[in-house]
Amino acid sequence: MMPGPILALFLAAAGVSLGLRRLGYPGLWPWTLALGALLAWGLVQQNTDTWLEHALPPALAGEEATVFATIISLPEHGERRSRFRIRVAATRSGPEAFRARELLVSTYPARPDLEAGSHGYMTLRLRPARGPANPGGFDRAGWYYREGLHGSATLLDFEALEDARAPRIQDARWRAGLHRMRGALRERLEQAAPGLRHPGLVQALVIGDRQGMTDEEWQAFLRTGTNHLMAISGLHVGLVAGFVGLLAGLAWSGLVPVQARIRKPAFMALAGLAGAALYAALAGFSIPTQRALIMLAAFMAALLWRREAFAWRGLMLAAIAVVLWRPTSVLAPGFWFSFGAVAVILLLLQGRSGRPGWRAAGSIQVMLALAMLPLSLAWFQLGSWVAPVANLVAVPVISLLVLPLLLVGAGLAALWAPLGQPFLHLGDGILMLLVGLLDGLSHVPVLVDERRVPLAASLLGGVAVLVALLPRLRLAAPWVVLAGIALALPMRPQIDAGSVRALLLDVGNGQSLLLQTRHHALLWDAGPGRAGGYSAGDQIVIPSLRAEGVRRLDRMILSHEHAAHSGGAAAVRATLPVGEVLRRRPQGPGERPCEAGEVWEWDGVDFEILHPPAGWDGSASASCVLAVETAGGVRLVLTGGLGGLGEAVLMQEGAEQRSSDLLVVPRGAGADSLSRGWLQDARPAMAWASTDAQGRGLAGAARQRLDRACVPLQGTGRQGALRLEADTELKVGPGHRAGSRRLWRPAPDAGAPLPPGCPRGPETAGGLVE
């Protein structure tokens, strides 16, 4: 499959070729297409090689380095943490393989004294440019690659230096100065209107800083399909350009010397472009803002050249310019949403004469929201059927009322804080009403569809959109319905009766495993989480369940109460319907104790709780143990966090209780795990373990016992999520990293070989001892 950047550049070359053909140069288009393909390959190869050369390798995880660096972003200061981007100028000490140029740095506790432009010697604990690898989950390594970051780090010590002693990096100084200006404007906004009800939204619209937005605010915009309004991109930049251009047109009439040198449309276009560039600078020249500015410049150029049908040519020129400027932009959903939205608008306006009225503008907005549904379902697992109505209200409110008020207020506040206060408060009041409306719409269940759509279905949905938008093809209405219905069909796993499918998720320092039969789904543990902070349930488990087509959990079992097992449970229950929860300590309705002896059958697959006996506490020794047996006799045993006394009690039940073809070993198995004859009396065919990115998660003694028993071990830390299907035999798939190779994701380690004398069967092929 052709990688994303290469595909996009290839399509850009194809667009140029078709353009040349339409302009009357049919003989040149094959050569242009071939040249564009070569250029695409060269750009992508150069960009990838440069990034891989500087990216932190996995071997440097946990290592320390002391570097001279400058903060080149607007720092995010929270209650517990500050986070910012740094540019490395020199290395004082560190591993020989350290070559990173730009890193995302966090410091605990928060350091509000650090600001854009702060520089000095920083002692860092390094983390490689990688993250959990799960189906449907956020690709952190891809995000690092797209953003030009070579890894992340934790700040351990900071020694500030005077400017005279600081090494100079012109690019870093320019970027630091830009973000320092944004930080100063943020302070002026806070001083001018300290009592705003939605200060995070105000800062998001004025300077593109969304860190102050609350989760409730973000969800209200996200679930109603209006979240694009919170990213300073094409709409905002275009509005500012239009407003400044309008003012320039009024001023042109009184500027007699200027009238003799430049036409009025050209003067308005240049003034609008200058205003848009200034606004883009306030937004920090983020990637969406860069894309919007380049796109606007392309349209302005086409307008100045007085070319006919300049809109489509301007769109084509903007796409080529954006991809040439930053090839990794094609990996961002904003790239496809931006250009897709403009293309849809141009198709809807095709053949119209004059300006569209309010009714036409409203119909365009409704069609645009529907046209973006396939992309939204494919990228974000979220389709908002209320988006057409929500955008019909939110877009004019933000663009015609809120944004002008906030920009005028911010400009006046920069001169003198009290001047901007009335405008900022008025804009905030309108935002309060809008957020209330969107929040109400977002909680109507039938209007928000949260699920994953397969690639084929999203492509068919895109075809349906094109057919519906093109006038000559609208006669093919039955085909539109047939193509679009793929988006509404439920995605069900193709599992035979009597078979079971298992997916051990890569949740880092925690555990979560999904079991699916033909018509049922069970979640074993919900990953780590902490009160008021990170939850694997939100970030990893829920997206993976949607990717697997799970819309409802018949049962969730929390093996014990440690946060690494149960921390994500609340987020799962808040998002998906769960039939019942089994755990050591029931805490509310729909929950009951997990106790040995409970059995049930789903679709020909038998389930049995093996441990603990009734009356035990919630410690690791009382961890639930689950046995799953298919109709074909394949047996899976999930041990949760079992160890110590609990394992000794289970030993007394006999080897038949512990026998398995797959053993999911205890998370964080210590020296007292997998002992007392567990592996000798009932050796499993293979073992799975939840490990972190460095392969940690099992004590050395537990690994040695697996080696001596010749049990191949697969771990999630290096392989990503692990998958198998069982009926009469185990059918083990590759780890998620190996099964979804990308330019920025190196091949997973092959793993250490089994000890001499151990047979290697099909189940150990490909790797896997960590």
Side-chain angles (χ1 to χ4, degrees):
M1 181 177 177
M2 189 177 290
I6 300 177
L7 176 61
L9 288 164
F10 186 82
L11 291 175
V16 174
S17 302
L18 293 175
L20 288 172
R21 190 174 184 181
R22 291 191 65 182
L23 290 173
Y25 303 99
L28 294 179
W29 74 267
W31 300 101
T32 308
L33 190 62
L35 182 61
L38 288 175
L39 176 63
W41 176 259
L43 279 174
V44 172
Q45 195 65 42
Q46 179 186 14
N47 188 76
T48 305
D49 290 346
T50 301
W51 184 83
L52 289 175
E53 178 185 355
H54 297 284
L56 292 177
L60 294 188
E63 296 285 338
E64 293 185 9
T66 301
V67 302
F68 177 83
T70 303
I71 298 178
I72 58 171
S73 69
L74 186 64
E76 301 175 10
H77 298 302
E79 295 182 0
R80 299 179 55 253
R81 178 192 71 179
S82 292
R83 188 169 65 174
F84 44 82
R85 184 171 181 149
I86 66 170
R87 177 68 180 268
V88 177
T91 304
R92 174 190 280 180
S93 63
E96 184 178 348
F98 178 79
R99 300 186 182 88
R101 290 180 179 174
E102 296 196 11
L103 296 171
L104 185 66
V105 176
S106 300
T107 177
Y108 304 87
R111 292 281 303 270
D113 57 304
L114 297 179
E115 58 183 11
S118 297
H119 53 258
Y121 284 105
M122 302 182 184
T123 301
L124 308 171
R125 179 173 291 120
L126 307 175
R127 293 192 298 271
R130 63 186 299 173
N134 298 281
F138 175 64
D139 186 358
R140 183 168 296 275
W143 180 80
Y144 280 122
Y145 173 73
R146 189 175 76 219
E147 296 293 322
L149 287 164
H150 302 123
S152 61
T154 300
L155 181 66
L156 303 178
D157 188 37
F158 177 67
E159 177 189 347
L161 285 183
E162 299 176 0
D163 287 339
R165 299 169 53 200
R168 290 178 175 269
I169 301 180
Q170 195 62 36
D171 176 53
R173 293 171 65 88
W174 180 85
R175 291 162 70 182
L178 171 65
H179 291 292
R180 191 161 48 241
M181 178 185 69
R182 296 177 66 217
L185 182 56
R186 180 171 66 181
E187 291 181 4
R188 297 292 288 180
L189 288 173
E190 293 172 350
Q191 294 172 2
L196 296 180
R197 284 155 290 198
H198 297 285
L201 293 179
V202 171
Q203 293 178 11
L205 289 169
V206 175
I207 60 174
D209 179 21
R210 292 184 292 179
Q211 61 174 303
M213 289 181 62
T214 65
D215 290 339
E216 292 76 15
E217 291 170 344
W218 180 247
Q219 287 298 319
F221 282 92
L222 181 65
R223 292 171 62 86
T224 54
T226 55
N227 54 306
H228 61 94
L229 296 172
M230 292 299 107
I232 296 181
S233 55
L235 175 64
H236 308 76
V237 172
L239 285 170
V240 171
F243 181 66
V244 174
L246 180 63
L247 293 179
L250 297 175
W252 184 86
S253 302
L255 298 174
V256 178
V258 175
Q259 295 176 8
R261 291 179 173 85
I262 188 171
R263 297 180 297 113
K264 183 177 180 180
F267 182 71
M268 294 175 62
L270 292 175
L273 186 59
L278 179 60
Y279 184 49
L282 287 178
F285 280 119
S286 61
I287 292 179
T289 312
Q290 292 177 22
R291 181 171 57 245
L293 192 60
I294 292 174
M295 201 168 174
L296 179 65
F299 275 106
M300 293 299 187
L303 178 63
L304 293 174
W305 290 337
R306 302 183 182 182
R307 301 301 298 268
E308 295 180 2
F310 70 89
W312 284 107
R313 291 194 180 109
L315 181 64
M316 185 188 302
L317 180 61
I320 295 171
V322 168
V323 171
L324 289 175
W325 175 255
R326 186 182 284 268
T328 56
S329 293
V330 297
L331 298 173
F335 176 90
W336 300 99
F337 277 91
S338 295
F339 286 103
V342 175
V344 169
I345 292 172
L346 293 180
L347 284 172
L348 291 172
L349 292 176
Q350 193 167 320
R352 294 177 182 263
S353 59
R355 297 180 180 179
W358 286 103
R359 181 177 299 179
S363 65
I364 289 174
Q365 189 59 55
V366 171
M367 288 298 297
L368 179 61
L370 291 175
M372 294 295 105
L373 269 176
L375 275 178
S376 182
L377 287 168
W379 278 100
F380 303 120
Q381 302 181 339
L382 179 68
S384 179
W385 296 103
V386 76
V389 176
N391 276 279
L392 202 59
V393 176
V395 169
V397 167
I398 292 290
S399 58
L400 301 179
L401 295 176
V402 175
L403 189 58
L405 286 171
L406 295 182
L407 289 178
V408 171
L412 294 176
L415 300 175
W416 187 41
L419 284 178
Q421 192 174 47
F423 296 94
L424 294 174
H425 276 287
L426 183 56
D428 179 64
I430 299 174
L431 275 176
M432 181 191 67
L433 298 175
L434 178 63
V435 171
L437 174 63
L438 296 180
D439 185 63
L441 291 174
S442 70
H443 287 89
V444 181
V446 296
L447 298 181
V448 180
D449 192 7
E450 295 180 287
R451 61 190 174 91
R452 177 182 177 267
V453 171
L455 178 61
S458 61
L459 290 176
L460 283 173
V463 169
V465 169
L466 288 176
V467 172
L469 292 177
L470 293 174
R472 295 180 181 178
L473 299 179
R474 286 176 188 166
L475 296 176
W479 295 104
V480 175
V481 175
L482 186 62
I485 201 173
L487 294 175
L489 292 176
M491 188 181 70
R492 297 185 179 275
Q494 298 299 316
I495 304 176
D496 296 331
S499 299
V500 67
R501 180 178 294 174
L503 178 69
L504 181 61
L505 298 175
D506 180 14
V507 293
N509 187 26
Q511 182 171 273
S512 184
L513 185 145
L514 172 67
L515 292 170
Q516 290 178 277
T517 64
R518 186 174 181 84
H519 297 112
H520 296 82
L522 181 150
L523 184 66
W524 173 264
D525 289 333
R530 55 178 180 266
Y534 169 80
S535 170
D538 274 326
Q539 304 295 323
I540 297 175
V541 178
I542 290 298
S544 298
L545 294 181
R546 288 177 181 152
E548 295 300 301
V550 176
R551 306 293 299 274
R552 180 184 187 277
L553 288 171
D554 297 278
R555 182 169 290 182
M556 178 166 61
I557 301 179
L558 304 177
S559 61
H560 68 93
E561 300 303 322
H562 193 283
H565 296 252
S566 61
V572 172
R573 296 192 71 180
T575 307
L576 287 180
V578 180
E580 63 175 349
V581 177
L582 272 61
R583 63 190 308 172
R584 291 305 308 134
R585 292 177 176 172
Q587 299 177 4
E591 299 185 357
R592 57 188 182 84
C594 170
E595 294 179 350
E598 180 169 354
V599 296
W600 69 94
E601 182 266 338
W602 284 344
D603 306 318
V605 180
D606 296 321
F607 295 79
E608 180 181 4
I609 302 291
L610 303 180
H611 185 78
W616 280 47
D617 59 14
S619 65
S621 63
S623 173
C624 301
V625 176
L626 176 68
V628 183
E629 187 167 352
T630 69
V634 175
R635 185 175 170 87
L636 286 59
V637 173
L638 287 60
T639 60
L642 188 68
L645 178 62
E647 186 173 302
V649 171
L650 192 59
M651 291 296 108
Q652 299 176 1
E653 300 296 327
E656 67 278 359
Q657 287 283 85
R658 308 186 305 276
S659 64
S660 64
D661 295 280
L662 170 72
L663 175 67
V664 182
V665 302
R667 189 206 64 83
D672 60 347
S673 298
L674 305 179
S675 58
R676 302 178 182 88
W678 181 293
L679 300 177
Q680 287 73 22
D681 297 341
R683 186 178 77 87
M686 66 184 305
W688 277 1
S690 291
T691 56
D692 61 18
Q694 288 74 53
R696 297 189 299 259
L698 280 83
R703 292 172 181 267
Q704 292 172 9
R705 293 183 183 114
L706 288 167
D707 287 345
R708 286 197 298 268
C710 295
V711 178
L713 171 68
Q714 291 186 346
T716 57
R718 294 194 178 113
Q719 303 296 322
L722 302 173
R723 182 190 301 274
L724 66 76
E725 188 165 342
D727 184 5
T728 57
E729 61 180 358
L730 290 176
K731 302 173 185 176
V732 184
H736 188 73
R737 295 188 196 278
S740 57
R741 297 283 301 279
R742 297 292 185 270
L743 292 171
W744 54 88
R745 187 185 297 158
D749 301 337
L754 288 171
C758 291
R760 294 186 66 85
E763 70 277 2
T764 64
L768 302 194
V769 178
E770 291 196 348

